[in-house]
Amino acid sequence: MGLPIRKSKVEPRPTCPLSEVLRLLRGAWAHNVVWSLSGEPRRFGELRHDLPKISARVLSARLRELETRGLVTRRVLHTSPPSAEYALTPLGRELLPAIDALASVGRKLIAEWETLGQQRPAG
Amino acid sequence: MGLPIRKSKVEPRPTCPLSEVLRLLRGAWAHNVVWSLSGEPRRFGELRHDLPKISARVLSARLRELETRGLVTRRVLHTSPPSAEYALTPLGRELLPAIDALASVGRKLIAEWETLGQQRPAG
DNA sequence: CTGTATCCATGATGATACTG
DNA sequence: CAGTATCATCATGGATACAG
């Protein structure tokens, strides 16, 4: 006979909220966009400058997502030529500590690899 | 003339470590697997039970990734039939507070949607 | 400058069947 | 029970061209 299935102690836990946030930060760029906005508000072109390898298409899509969910605001500047400025909302700012915590773990992960003299496992 | 590009205050920040961790938690399941292992060690089948919709193929792949990066250990139990038990390493456990922080933001996000009487934006 | 529209490549998943 | 093999599908992202 096999072992009995042990009931998980994973209660009606934050599994759902977690998934919602990760759905937002998912992908290669969303978290970098949030991080770029952690300081002053920034314009579309400035964000492209911060993240040299992001395509306009993807940056546009991410910003729209974050805006839709109330994490980022968009303000049109009536300059010549016209430009747009993005900023984190208070709600969006609450992501920052969490992102920081993750980054902290990331540093330890990398340090571990180096300590072991191992190569970072490829993608 | 357009506005000058403002230099980003996004310093040589944890952008890299962050990406490394997110690469691990990326996808629909990795973070749930980590969360399921937050309590007692669990067997393959128990994990499938915790995450009813995950396929064996994907669960296997995620566990292998986490094991490769030193976040999870795998122990074979010489039972009949044989089974395997997975657990978080100390390094893996360091993900927990970060995940908690993210979940906290997630709860506020969802609460916000409800307060506004809005539907959660579809994926 | 600020996006949007197309087309294409890649990666992550689900379903199902099968092995030890 | 604990996986692995194969096939099909969908989401994400890059490149490029084009529009307001």
Side-chain angles (χ1 to χ4, degrees):
Chain A
M1 291 285 275
L3 302 176
I5 298 290
R6 292 168 297 192
K7 268 211 169 170
S8 172
K9 278 136 192 156
V10 182
E11 330 119 45
R13 265 284 200 172
T15 305
C16 272
L18 217 206
S19 297
E20 293 300 338
V21 178
L22 285 179
R23 187 188 307 280
L24 277 172
L25 297 184
R26 181 138 64 161
W29 294 111
H31 58 280
N32 291 104
V33 172
V34 171
W35 195 255
S36 286
L37 291 174
S38 62
E40 297 288 304
R42 290 186 76 65
R43 300 195 306 275
F44 191 86
E46 292 174 326
L47 289 170
R48 290 186 74 173
H49 178 262
D50 293 343
L51 313 169
K53 301 191 180 173
I54 196 174
S55 68
R57 189 178 90 78
V58 172
L59 176 55
S60 178
R62 295 296 145 261
L63 286 171
R64 193 169 299 282
E65 271 184 24
L66 293 169
E67 191 190 356
T68 297
R69 286 162 173 75
L71 298 170
V72 161
T73 57
R74 183 198 139 138
R75 190 166 64 106
V76 175
L77 304 177
H78 298 285
T79 54
S80 172
S83 54
E85 193 172 76
Y86 295 88
L88 289 178
T89 64
L91 187 55
R93 295 209 154 271
E94 299 196 22
L95 282 174
L96 267 19
I99 289 181
D100 241 351
L102 274 182
S104 158
V105 175
R107 269 176 245 116
K108 294 183 181 178
L109 254 178
I110 295 174
E112 193 86 351
W113 296 332
E114 291 172 349
T115 297
L116 299 176
Q118 296 176 347
Q119 264 308 304
R120 171 171 64 91
Chain B
M1 292 286 272
L3 303 175
I5 298 288
R6 293 167 296 190
K7 268 210 169 169
S8 172
K9 277 134 194 159
V10 182
E11 329 119 47
R13 267 286 200 169
T15 305
C16 271
L18 216 206
S19 296
E20 294 300 338
V21 178
L22 256 13
R23 187 188 310 277
L24 277 173
L25 297 185
R26 181 142 62 168
W29 295 111
H31 59 280
N32 291 104
V33 172
V34 172
W35 196 254
S36 285
L37 292 174
S38 63
E40 297 289 304
R42 289 184 79 61
R43 300 196 305 275
F44 193 86
E46 292 174 326
L47 289 170
R48 290 186 76 175
H49 176 264
D50 293 344
L51 314 168
K53 302 192 180 172
I54 196 173
S55 68
R57 192 180 90 78
V58 171
L59 177 55
S60 178
R62 294 297 145 260
L63 285 170
R64 194 171 297 282
E65 270 183 25
L66 293 169
E67 189 189 359
T68 298
R69 285 161 175 76
L71 299 170
V72 160
T73 58
R74 183 197 139 138
R75 190 166 65 105
V76 175
L77 303 178
H78 298 285
T79 55
S80 173
S83 54
E85 192 173 76
Y86 296 87
L88 289 180
T89 64
L91 186 55
R93 295 210 153 271
E94 299 196 22
L95 282 174
L96 267 19
I99 289 181
D100 241 350
L102 275 182
S104 156
V105 176
R107 270 177 245 116
K108 293 183 182 180
L109 255 178
I110 295 174
E112 193 85 352
W113 296 333
E114 290 171 350
T115 297
L116 299 176
Q118 295 175 348
Q119 265 309 304
R120 171 171 64 92

